[in-house]
Amino acid sequence: MPKKIDLTGRRFGRLVVLYECNERKNGKVVWHCRCDCENEVNVRSGSLTSGNTTSCGCYNRERVAEVHTTHGMSRQGEYHPVYWAWRTMLQRCENPNDKCYKDYGGRGITVCDEWHNSAIFINWALANGWKEGLQIDRIDNNGNYEPDNCRFVTPKENSRNRRNNRLITFDDKTQTMAEWAEEAGISYLVLCSRINKYHWPIERALTEPVRRRA
């Protein structure tokens, strides 16, 4: 087990660590900190050392107006894609009526407290690699939506990290079905049908050319 690092007295952005709290959050050490604005807040070790939390929230509040102005988060009823990523994330984790809830909130996936504030999430996204066309992805597919467990990836990379991906081994090589379809030059749907619906042997499914209609 790695030795715990004492953060007492250290500064992280606007926060100065005062002492270790008795509480634990998801098994992680929590520190009581004082912000330069005089507010005090409890923060997990990982959020401090990774730089994801650098104030009591005052910095993010100060940034809200700038973010909305600079990036056009909301303008005449239109919202920036980062806002919709945030809204979709919350819906699938917290709305039982959402079609994706069973795969997220229904199996215990949650959104961390700080990300319930859209401005905090948007600032994090813009500072951590978000670009048009990328999707938020959980590094640990069984973990929660929180700064230490999230990144932005392409839709193809995101699909490869899904927990229900089927791995196929052929010629001593193991890949997802999507990766095999791409390598074999056939449609993912065709490959799925060959294996799951028609129960073709893996070799035949990957090597037989697709018949073209006349």
Side-chain angles (χ1 to χ4, degrees):
M1 178 181 294
K3 184 178 180 181
K4 184 180 69 178
I5 300 175
D6 186 1
L7 302 183
T8 304
R10 290 182 58 179
R11 172 177 285 275
F12 298 89
R14 298 183 181 187
L15 296 175
V16 174
V17 179
L18 299 182
Y19 56 82
E20 180 183 341
C21 300
N22 291 326
E23 68 172 291
R24 292 290 184 271
K25 189 169 184 180
N26 296 328
K28 304 296 178 62
V29 176
V30 177
W31 299 90
H32 189 77
C33 308
R34 177 180 290 126
C35 186
D36 288 347
C37 71
E38 300 301 322
N39 284 332
E40 296 188 5
V41 63
N42 295 336
V43 186
R44 289 181 308 159
S45 288
S47 294
L48 289 170
T49 57
S50 67
N52 286 319
T53 301
T54 57
S55 77
C56 67
C58 61
Y59 176 75
N60 287 299
R61 290 192 291 272
E62 292 169 8
R63 285 272 294 156
V64 170
E66 179 185 346
V67 168
H68 279 253
T69 300
T70 305
H71 300 282
M73 293 299 163
S74 174
R75 182 175 58 254
Q76 296 181 348
E78 297 180 0
Y79 289 90
H80 192 280
V82 177
Y83 172 84
W84 290 114
W86 170 79
R87 184 181 175 90
T88 300
M89 173 182 67
L90 284 179
Q91 285 292 307
R92 60 194 179 200
C93 289
E94 301 182 359
N95 181 4
N97 295 319
D98 188 273
K99 65 180 181 180
C100 296
Y101 178 81
K102 62 181 176 63
D103 293 319
Y104 293 87
R107 64 185 189 92
I109 304 302
T110 63
V111 177
C112 66
D113 292 342
E114 58 191 304
W115 279 3
H116 279 76
N117 182 315
S118 61
I120 291 177
F121 174 79
I122 289 167
N123 277 318
W124 174 85
L126 296 176
N128 285 274
W130 179 87
K131 293 180 181 179
E132 189 79 39
L134 297 183
Q135 300 176 345
I136 191 167
D137 172 61
R138 284 169 296 119
I139 299 168
D140 175 2
N141 210 262
N142 293 312
N144 298 321
Y145 283 100
E146 54 189 353
D148 295 342
N149 191 43
C150 289
R151 60 188 174 184
F152 289 97
V153 298
T154 64
K156 180 182 290 186
E157 290 170 323
N158 200 0
S159 69
R160 289 172 179 171
N161 194 33
R162 291 175 183 163
R163 68 188 179 96
N164 59 353
N165 262 345
R166 178 175 175 182
L167 295 176
I168 295 174
T169 300
F170 177 64
D171 277 348
D172 297 322
K173 183 177 181 180
T174 301
Q175 299 185 121
T176 64
M177 197 177 295
E179 290 169 323
W180 276 119
E182 182 179 6
E183 184 170 313
I186 61 178
S187 162
Y188 173 76
L189 293 178
V190 168
L191 184 58
C192 285
S193 294
R194 288 178 170 184
I195 293 174
N196 296 329
K197 183 177 180 180
Y198 299 112
H199 307 293
W200 285 17
I202 298 300
E203 181 176 3
R204 182 187 176 194
L206 291 172
T207 59
E208 185 166 316
V210 177
R211 294 181 180 178
R212 306 296 180 184
R213 293 184 178 180

